[in-house]
Every structure is written in C-alpha cells, then in structure tokens.
C-alpha cells in the first residue's frame, strides 16, 4: 500500500465515522431526510462564500455552507409551521429551491474554476491526498483528513457533553420538554453538527453519499442492537467497515470510490436485514418454522391423548396415519414425530406412538388452558 | 422579435419549451397524489434510485435512445419503491430512513456503474451523466414526443382510476372496507409517479425532479379543497413553470433550464402560500377581523352590564369607564359598534346602548 492509498482510507474512515455518529440521532429522530436536504442546499452556501472570497479554499466556504445547512432546517421548520403543507412537502420544497440557486450561481459566476456541481454532489476521494496542509515547511497531511478529523472530534465532544439531553429528547421529546430541556436548542445544535459534518464530508464523498453514510450504518446498527451507546458504536464500526470495503471495491472495479462506499453501506444494511439475530429475515423465518413445529407437536400430543387406551389407538396412533387425521404430509409428520421424540413427549415402538408422562402433561395443559 | 415569434421560430427553444410544458403538466397532476399522501419525498427517492437503471439499460441494450433509458430508469425506480416499503414493513426502520437509504445507496450503485462504463475504452457513453443534472438543451424532438405520449398515457390511467385514487388519497381503510383493492391502487399510483419522474430526468435531472412533483401540487393545494380542481391547477402551474423556466433560461445567458424551472415553481408556491384562499394573508386578515369582532362583543356586553348596575336603560357612560372593565381602550370597539347602530354617543361624548344594541347584547 502506498502512502496515498493509506491516506485515502484514513479520510474515508474518519468521514464515515463522523457521519454515522450524527446520523444515528437523525435516524432515531425520524429526521433522516434532513441530511439529504442539507447535503444539497450546502451548495448555495459554498457558492455564495465563493462569490464573497473569490477562492475555493477559504475556510469561509465551510462556514458559509454550514450556515446554509442551519438555514435550510430553519426554513423547513418555518414552512411546516404555517401548516399549509406537511413536513415532507416542506423539505421537498426548500432544498431543491436552494440547490437551484446554488447551481445558477455556480454556472453564472464560477464557471471554469474548480467549483462545479459534480464535485459537490459526487466528490472525488482519489484526489484528496494531493490537497495538503503545509505550513512552516512542514507537511501536516491531507487537508481533508485534518478537516474531517477536527469535525469528528467536535462531533464526539458535543455528543458526549450533551449525551443525556440528546438521549432524552430523542426518545421522549415530551418528557424532555416537561423537565425543562429546550428541544429547539438541542435540535439546532444537532442540525449544526449535521451541517458541519455534511460540509466537511462533501469534499471527500460528495453530498449524496453523505446521505448514505449518515443513514445506512445507523439503520443497520438499529437492526442489530438496542441501547443508544451500543448503537453509536455499532454504527461507527459498520461505517468504517463500509468505507474500507468500498475503497478496495473501487480499486478492484476501477470505479468511483464514493459510489462503492455507498454501495457497501447498502450491502451492510442488507446483511443486517437478512441476518440480524432475532430481528433479521432469516431469524424470522426460522422462528416461524419452529413455532409451526411446536404447535404441531402439541397437536400430536393431544391427538395421541384422545385415543390413548381406546381400541382404535393401534390404528389412530400409527405414524403413517397422522397424515390422514391431522392433514400433514408424511415428510412433515416425520419431522414432528422426531421433534416430539427428542423432546421426550412420545415414544414409538413398531410404528405405533405412545405418550410419555411428559407428553400427557403437555396435552393436558394444552386442552385445559 | 417578440417572444411569441421567438417561440415559433427557434427550433431548440420550441422543443425545450414543449418538453417542459408536457413534463410540468404530468408531474404536477401526479404530484397532487404524492403530496396528499405525505409521500412528497418518495419522488426524491425514485429519481435518485433511477440512475443505476439508466446505466444498466445502456450497458444491456447498447443504446442511448430515450425510451430504452426511461424503461431502465423506471424499473430501477420501481424496485427502489418496493424496497422502501419492504424495509418499512419488515423492520423497525422508519420510512424516512428507508427512503434515504434506498435513495443514496441506489445512487451510489448508479455512480459505480457510471464511472465503470465511463472508463471503458469506447466513448459512446458520453451524455449518460445528463441524467444526474439534466440538460434540457440536449432534448430532441423525439424525446419530447416520448415525454408527451408516455405522459398522456399516464394521465389517461389517472382518469380511468380516478375514484380509486381519490379514496386511496383520503381514506384507504374506508376504500378497503368497500372492497376496493387499495394495495393494487397504491402500486398503480407509485408506478404512475415513477413514470412522471422518469420522463423528466433527462430534462431537469435527478436532484431537481422531486421539486417538479412537490411544488406545483403544494401550490395548488392552497387554492382549492377539491381533488379534481387541485389536480388541474397543479398541472396548469407545473406547465406554466415549465414554459416560463425554459423561456427564461433561453433569454438569460448561462441560466440552466432545470434550476430556472424549479425556481419559477418555487415562486408560484410562495405566491400561493401568501395570496391563495388558504394562504397566510387571508388567514391573517380573517384572524384580525375575528379578533376585532370578539372585542366588540365584549364591549357590548360590558356596556349592558354597566347599564344594569348603574342607572338603568339609556344611561350613558364615558369610554374610559367601559374600557376599565377590560383594561383596554374601548374607543375603537365603540366606534365600530356605533357604525352598526348598536351604541350611540350623547352630547358629552358618553356612550349608551341603543334599543337595538340592548337586544343584541341579550341575544349574544
């Protein structure tokens, strides 16, 4: 691995972890799509700051963009508060308008410089190591690594300091209000973090893929675990894994790194969806199959108990007869019988089944319950 | 040269304007249902999710014909919506996260495919990325015909399924209890929405297409409470935004068409929010009138009470005494009541109830 490759991966991982940290709260608060809105509307902040400063490297660009993010959220809340449209439509109205203004500014005044809409939306991680921070004759490393490192630290500090408040206002906003927290202030703190993170990250992965990093890892973690603390850790780990996996996938396919990272986030969510212990699709299917077997086993015990000790028992309680009486196919009947035998509910001798004491109790309990 | 002759003579502008009108009309009409059903952002998800379908269709079919790419986009967009509803139904992930997830991951996959195709030796894929941002200037006459025909078919379907769509938008449980097939209607509506989005992608691009769905419908909602009228108004506003934006972008140098259309649509929304019958100005005026009417009510009642307590019918009181009860200046309310003939001023400027005023005070 060259130093450039290492640096790209470091940038990707730091960006991914920072995004997933703030994204966890967005997902839990059902505000995921604000990341989409902020991701798009920062373009206008960057464009305006570019008009003012005339460069694409000034820190003012970041501040301008971060402010736009907050303005976006404020506008969405303003439109929603008129009660003329609902929140989803408000989001859908605000960010395309801001994005349009940004596109127009860029195409009218910033044509030709390195500030095009593609770069903002799609990002280009491969070039990130070339933009280095050098001062006093020292090379401090890639600018975006330092930037995202700082963003991550700020995110982590704010989240740690406001942990209790964020937790309460996320899970029970009414109680938070009743206890005297100000959810509005917390909301804006969170949205400022989201804006700063989105702006820092758009350099590296582009604004649409910021959405992937903010939503997919927390959503996947949400399927795997409970508890806010574990959720944050899981989401960060999944995001970092997706970033590394995405990088190497991009190298293998010779395709967009940001796109591959987003795809890996999707794969991570897909795996969690399929395999999550207890909640995944596979677990659900197995649970359903087991419940079916348990139910059938109880049915078998009741059936055997009904005919026990009666003359027809020799006919009714044969394995081969179950299909006819309980409408099971022979394969399923065999499985039920084996299951019941393993559980010690029935014993079979020469194809005739009889209940054990335990089996009799089960049947008794099932019919008298 | 007037704008009208310009529209007739300039081939490119005419093509773009016609395409924008058709697109605005169809997306406005279908956006009505999306906005009413709180699915405004489904359009955003569909338009982003369409990208991998576009590239996939190009790779599979080897053509950049707009119909082929539209079919690819539609398939991917539809798959995206299915995935969203599957996630919402089978996990505890909520709809907003599911939408964002599908949107960004599909878009990422599309980007991977796009860059992968672009790095292949042949250069024939150039122009596929116009589906990202839209390039109205590259729209050809055939594209406009495709947009118009596909859009017309979608609108005919809306007309045929009108009653079902109406029930679905307002009370799907009621519809299901009537035996209407709401799940099928929902899938139909989503498919129509996918169609409306897909025909607009190459014109305004994935990012801005969602605005074409939301904005005309959100504006139209403010003008009417009837579904039919709202659909027609939304379609009209969409078409108006389309043609205005297209013409503006042709007249002003370096004003991209897609953003121009979206800004016109946003302007229409702002105007509607302010001036429409449900809008903020009307609401503020009504609130003011209600507040002043409430004020006169109170003053009339106070005057009646004063009369009963001090001096009987016909006894006049200074405005300051009346105002004392409510701790406000009652003069404005008294003047308003005088205009209605409910109170009268005597020579000293004191106020008393008229006969009609006394009746009115008792009635209220």
């Amino acid at each position: 691995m060259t130093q450039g490759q290492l640096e790209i991966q470091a940038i990707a991982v730091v960006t991914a972890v920072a995004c997933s940290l703030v994204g966890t709260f967005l997902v839990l608060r059902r505000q995921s799509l604000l990341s989409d809105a902020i991701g798009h509307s920062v373009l206008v902040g960057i464009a305006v700051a570019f008009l003012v400063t005339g460069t694409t490297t000034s820190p003012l660009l970041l501040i301008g963009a971060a402010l736009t993010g907050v303005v976006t959220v404020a506008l969405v809340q303003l439109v929603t508060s008129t009660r003329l449209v609902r929140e989803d439509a408000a989001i859908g109205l605000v960010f395309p308008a801001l994005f349009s203004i940004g596109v127009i500014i860029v195409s009218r005044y910033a044509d030709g410089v390195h500030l095009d809409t593609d770069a903002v939306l799609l990002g280009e991680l491969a070039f990130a190591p070339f933009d280095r921070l050098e001062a006093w004759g020292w090379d401090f490393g890639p600018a975006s690594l330092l930037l995202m490192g700082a963003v991550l630290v700020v995110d982590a500090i704010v989240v740690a300091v406001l942990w209790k408040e964020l937790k309460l206002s996320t899970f029970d906003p009414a109680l938070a209000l009743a206890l005297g927290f100000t959810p509005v202030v917390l909301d804006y703190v969170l949205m400022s973090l989201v804006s700063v993170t989105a702006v820092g990250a758009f350099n590296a992965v582009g604004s649409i893929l910021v959405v992937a990093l903010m939503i997919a890892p927390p959503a996947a973690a949400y399927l795997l675990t409970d508890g806010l603390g574990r959720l944050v850790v899981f989401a960060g780990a999944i995001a970092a894994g997706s970033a590394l996996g995405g990088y190497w996938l991009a190298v293998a396919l010779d395709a967009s790194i940001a796109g591959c990272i987003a795809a890996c986030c999707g794969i991570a969510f897909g795996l969690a969806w399929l395999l999550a212990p207890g909640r995944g699709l596979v677990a659900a299917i197995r649970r359903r199959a087991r419940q079916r077997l348990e139910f059938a086993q109880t049915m078998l015990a009741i059936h055997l108990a009904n005919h026990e000790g009666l003359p027809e028992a020799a006919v009714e309680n044969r394995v081969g007869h179950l299909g006819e009486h309980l409408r099971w196919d022979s394969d399923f009947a065999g499985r039920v019988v084996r299951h019941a035998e393993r559980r010690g509910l029935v014993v079979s001798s020469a194809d005739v089944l009889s209940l054990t004491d335990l089996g009799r109790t089960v049947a008794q309990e099932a019919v008298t319950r | 040269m007037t704008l009208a002759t310009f529209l007739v003579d300039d081939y490119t502008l005419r093509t773009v304007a016609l395409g924008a009108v058709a697109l605005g009309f169809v997306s406005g009409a279908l956006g009505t249902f999306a906005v009413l059903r709180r699915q405004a952002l489904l359009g955003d998800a569909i338009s982003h999710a369409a990208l991998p379908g576009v590239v996939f269709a190009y790779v599979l079919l080897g053509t950049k014909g707009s119909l082929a790419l539209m079919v690819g986009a539609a398939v991917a967009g539809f798959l995206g919506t299915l995935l969203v509803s599957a996630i919402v139904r089978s996990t505890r992930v909520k709809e907003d996260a599911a939408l964002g997830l599908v949107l960004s991951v599909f878009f990422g996959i599309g980007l991977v495919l796009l860059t992968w195709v672009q790095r292949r030796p042949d250069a024939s894929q150039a122009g596929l990325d116009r589906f990202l941002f839209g390039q109205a200037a590259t729209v050809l006459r055939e594209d406009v015909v495709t947009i118009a025909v596909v859009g017309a078919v979608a609108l005919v379907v809306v007309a045929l399924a009108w009653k079902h769509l109406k029930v679905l938008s307002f009370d799907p449980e009621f519809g299901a209890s009537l035996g209407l097939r709401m799940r099928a209607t929902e899938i139909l509506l989503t498919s129509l929405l996918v169609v409306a989005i897909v025909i607009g992608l190459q014109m305004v691009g994935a990012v801005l297409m969602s605005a074409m769905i939301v904005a005309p419908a959100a504006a139209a909602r403010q003008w009417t409470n009837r579904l039919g009228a709202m659909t027609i108004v939304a379609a009209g506003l969409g078409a108006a935004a389309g043609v205005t934006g297209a013409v503006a972008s042709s007249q002003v140098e370096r004003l991209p068409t897609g953003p121009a259309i979206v800004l016109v649509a946003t302007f229409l929304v702002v105007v509607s929010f302010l001036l429409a019958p449900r809008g903020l100005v009307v609401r503020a005026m009504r609130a003011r009138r209600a507040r002043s009417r409430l004020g006169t009510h109170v003053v009339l009642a106070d005057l009646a009470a004063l009369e009963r307590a001090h001096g009987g019918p016909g006894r006049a009181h200074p405005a300051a005494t009346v105002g004392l009860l409510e701790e406000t200046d009652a003069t404005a309310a008294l003047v308003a009541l005088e205009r209605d003939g409910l109170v009268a001023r005597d020579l000293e400027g004191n106020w008393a109830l008229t006969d009609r005023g006394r009746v009115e005070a008792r009635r209220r």
Side-chain angles (χ1 to χ4, degrees):
Chain A
M1 253 193 287
T2 66
Q3 195 197 349
Q5 285 182 320
L6 266 180
E7 283 173 356
I8 291 175
Q9 290 176 65
I11 296 169
V13 167
V14 171
T15 307
V17 173
C19 286
S20 74
L21 176 59
V22 293
T24 304
F25 292 97
L26 286 181
V27 168
L28 289 176
R29 290 163 163 249
R30 308 188 184 189
Q31 293 178 314
S32 309
L33 288 167
L34 283 178
S35 67
D36 188 34
I38 291 174
H40 285 97
S41 59
V42 290
L43 179 64
V44 76
I46 296 170
V48 169
F50 170 78
L51 279 188
V52 174
T53 63
T55 69
T56 58
T57 52
S58 158
L60 270 181
L61 262 66
L62 283 178
I63 297 171
L67 276 179
T68 327
V70 177
V71 169
T72 307
V73 176
L75 277 177
V76 169
Q77 283 176 350
L78 177 73
V79 174
T80 312
S81 73
T82 65
R83 285 178 290 128
L84 295 176
V85 288
R86 300 198 191 86
E87 192 183 10
D88 62 321
I91 295 178
L93 287 171
V94 168
F95 85 82
L98 290 174
F99 185 78
S100 298
I101 296 173
V103 172
I104 290 173
I105 293 176
V106 168
S107 61
R108 284 183 70 80
Y109 304 107
D111 226 16
V113 289
H114 178 70
L115 177 64
D116 47 29
T117 42
D118 291 44
V120 174
L121 279 188
L122 312 180
E124 193 38 276
L125 204 49
F127 299 144
F130 300 122
D131 180 16
R132 308 190 77 83
L133 186 75
E134 284 164 19
W136 309 294
W138 280 76
D139 179 6
F140 286 94
S144 38
L145 180 58
L146 295 169
L147 176 67
M148 282 317 295
V151 168
L152 176 58
V153 169
V154 170
D155 284 351
I157 290 174
V158 175
V159 168
V161 168
L162 295 177
W163 181 260
K164 179 171 73 247
E165 288 80 358
L166 280 172
K167 191 175 185 175
L168 183 60
S169 74
T170 298
F171 290 108
D172 197 341
L175 180 63
L177 192 63
L179 289 179
F181 294 117
T182 41
V184 179
V185 173
L186 278 174
D187 218 32
Y188 274 93
V189 169
L190 186 61
M191 288 309 148
S192 310
L193 287 187
V194 172
S195 301
V196 171
T197 312
V199 173
F202 90 87
N203 259 322
V205 294
S207 67
I208 290 167
L209 305 169
V210 168
V211 179
L213 284 175
M214 283 194 181
I215 300 177
Y222 193 38
L223 299 181
L224 293 174
T225 182
D226 297 301
L228 188 56
R230 254 172 305 163
L231 208 56
V232 166
V233 173
F234 272 56
I238 292 169
S242 303
L244 292 178
Y247 174 76
W248 288 106
L249 186 66
V251 170
L253 294 177
D254 188 20
S256 154
I257 300 174
C260 285
I261 293 177
C264 278
C265 289
I267 293 170
F269 179 81
L271 287 177
W273 188 11
L274 275 180
L275 304 177
R279 289 198 196 93
L281 291 180
V282 172
I285 290 167
R286 289 184 54 170
R287 188 169 53 236
R288 222 163 294 149
R290 204 177 50 239
Q291 281 166 349
R292 192 164 160 238
L293 211 56
E294 295 282 339
F295 180 72
Q297 168 190 293
T298 312
M299 290 291 293
L300 176 66
I302 294 170
H303 174 73
L304 294 180
N306 275 343
H307 300 292
E308 201 169 38
L310 295 173
E312 74 267 20
V315 183
E316 288 284 351
N317 293 359
R318 277 201 356 257
V319 176
H321 186 75
L322 293 174
E324 199 178 308
H325 196 97
L326 294 166
R327 293 178 189 275
W328 293 339
D329 64 45
S330 59
D331 185 36
F332 184 67
R335 264 169 48 216
V336 175
V337 169
R338 275 196 302 283
H339 187 72
E341 275 177 344
R342 259 202 315 279
R343 291 295 175 84
L345 300 187
V346 299
V347 285
S348 66
S349 59
D351 208 28
V352 176
L353 298 168
S354 53
L355 284 169
T356 61
D357 287 342
L358 179 62
R360 230 164 268 128
T361 322
V362 167
Q364 196 63 38
E365 270 175 10
V367 289
T368 54
R369 194 167 0 181
Chain B
M1 189 157 49
T2 67
L3 205 59
T5 57
F6 202 80
L7 262 180
V8 176
D9 292 344
D10 186 320
Y11 173 79
T12 315
L13 175 57
R14 197 177 56 208
T15 312
V16 172
L18 276 178
V21 165
L23 168 62
F25 196 86
V26 176
S27 59
L30 285 165
T32 303
F33 299 101
V35 167
L36 287 177
R37 301 191 61 227
R38 308 184 190 198
Q39 291 189 322
L41 291 168
L42 190 61
D44 197 32
I46 294 172
S47 58
H48 285 82
L51 182 65
V54 172
V55 187
F56 216 72
Y58 164 74
V59 173
L60 270 187
L61 305 172
T63 163
K64 279 191 291 180
S66 63
L67 195 60
L69 298 190
M70 273 185 200
V71 170
V75 170
F78 191 70
L79 270 180
T81 64
L82 286 186
L83 212 52
V84 169
S85 64
I87 291 174
V88 172
R89 259 185 292 119
S90 73
T91 74
R92 56 177 181 169
V93 172
K94 307 298 178 304
E95 187 171 21
D96 63 314
L99 281 173
L101 191 97
V102 166
L103 173 163
S104 56
V105 170
F106 269 55
F107 195 80
I109 293 171
L111 208 57
V112 172
L113 287 174
L114 191 63
T115 45
W116 180 70
V117 169
Q118 274 171 345
R119 284 169 196 174
R120 293 203 312 187
D122 61 307
S124 65
Q125 90 292 335
L128 276 183
D129 52 0
R130 72 167 192 261
F131 277 85
L132 292 181
F133 302 106
Q135 253 172 4
T138 62
V139 170
L140 304 173
R141 198 201 203 138
E142 297 87 76
D143 299 330
V144 173
V145 172
T146 314
I147 291 176
V149 170
V150 175
V153 171
L155 290 181
V156 168
V157 174
V158 169
L160 291 177
W162 182 256
K163 211 173 284 174
H164 284 70
L165 292 173
K166 194 173 190 176
V167 176
L168 180 71
S169 304
F170 294 108
D171 200 343
E173 283 84 15
F174 174 64
S177 77
L178 289 181
L180 300 177
R181 292 170 50 182
M182 286 294 109
R183 181 83 191 118
T185 313
E186 203 176 338
I187 292 173
L188 174 74
L189 181 59
T190 309
S191 319
L192 291 172
L193 204 58
V194 168
V195 168
I197 286 163
V198 161
I199 60 177
L201 277 183
Q202 54 177 333
M203 209 142 174
V204 296
V207 179
L208 294 178
M209 193 50 222
S210 63
M212 295 302 294
I213 296 289
V214 182
R221 176 70 190 89
Q222 313 311 322
W223 294 96
T224 172
N225 282 327
R226 301 198 60 82
L227 182 66
M230 180 176 165
T231 309
I232 291 168
V233 172
L237 290 177
V243 69
T244 315
V247 170
S249 96
S250 77
Q251 299 298 300
V252 181
E253 210 184 327
R254 291 205 284 189
L255 178 65
T257 312
I261 295 175
V262 170
L263 283 188
V264 173
T266 309
F267 174 73
L268 293 175
V269 171
V270 173
V271 169
S272 306
F273 275 15
L274 291 177
L275 301 181
R278 271 166 48 101
L280 297 178
V281 172
V282 173
R283 192 198 283 171
M285 277 166 55
R286 203 174 297 150
R288 236 181 89 188
R289 211 176 310 137
R291 212 172 314 143
S292 81
R293 197 176 306 146
L294 192 65
T296 63
H297 270 226
V298 171
V299 168
L300 196 67
D302 288 348
L303 209 52
L306 275 173
E307 217 181 53
R308 278 196 299 276
H310 304 283
R315 171 74 186 272
H317 299 274
T321 315
V322 182
L324 214 56
L325 290 172
E326 301 302 322
E327 297 178 344
T328 57
D329 185 11
T331 317
L334 286 167
V335 171
L337 287 168
E338 185 183 28
R339 214 181 307 128
D340 294 341
L342 299 179
V343 301
R345 219 181 317 203
D346 66 10
L347 293 172
E348 285 131 46
N350 293 336
W351 298 88
L353 288 175
T354 62
D355 291 341
R356 263 184 61 210
R358 206 163 294 120
V359 174
E360 185 70 18
R362 212 171 301 139
R363 198 174 63 79
R364 285 181 187 176

